[in-house]
Amino acid sequence: GLLFAKVFVIETLVSCTSSLSKNRYGWKIQQVGLLGLVNGMFVIPLSIMVGKASMMYQDRFLMLWLLSIGIVGLSLLIDYYDLFNGVNHFHSVGPGQYVTGYFVTYVSIQSFEGVIGSALSKVIPTALATGTFNSGLLATLVDTFGRFCGDMFISLMGCINIEQLMNLLFIPGVLILCTCLFIVRKYYDLLAV
């Protein structure tokens, strides 16, 4: 469940960037590409930092922190003003807040993937580690299904209301991450491996 939720949230965040930034901020493809490049440059160093932190802290503790940071980042992308007053007001989410929220969410949730992998490797039975239908194949299938669902969700929300696309995508994303946080908290003792 955590792996699916992670992939779904990242897919909705990344795949909607071109249409969202074009329609909302008038960005050109070069600006969208630059955003992806800058985010990509930070993922590996921050994942290394999370890897080093995993030597000092348990996976479950890192899960809580990375999910919490992801929730904060995704909350920055919710346009609260648009919910009540209309679209594209000067109080709305501007490009600076969008880039900040995007960056915080992307980097924290991508780093979360490594922690999930570490935790899964410790709790998955050895019987699922052998043969063709092993845990790696299952993780790949969950990843692919999460991407598919994320892309379908973007399409559906875009058909509902393209002007409210930010809120239609990111409010459910925050709720999904909050659910993941609740699950990690609920099963915190079981994750002590």
Side-chain angles (χ1 to χ4, degrees), residues 34-45:
L34 182 62
L35 178 63
L37 173 73
V38 171
N39 274 326
M41 288 174 41
F42 282 99
V43 168
I44 293 175

Side-chain angles (χ1 to χ4, degrees), residues 46-77:
L46 287 172
S47 291
I48 290 171
M49 287 174 42
V50 169
K52 289 185 187 250
S54 71
M55 294 178 196
M56 295 181 281
Y57 302 102
Q58 292 183 351
D59 292 339
R60 61 189 183 161
F61 178 79
L62 293 173
M63 284 182 186
L64 289 177
W65 274 99
L66 291 170
L67 281 170
S68 299
I69 292 168
I71 290 168
V72 169
L74 211 52
S75 295
L76 287 172
L77 297 175

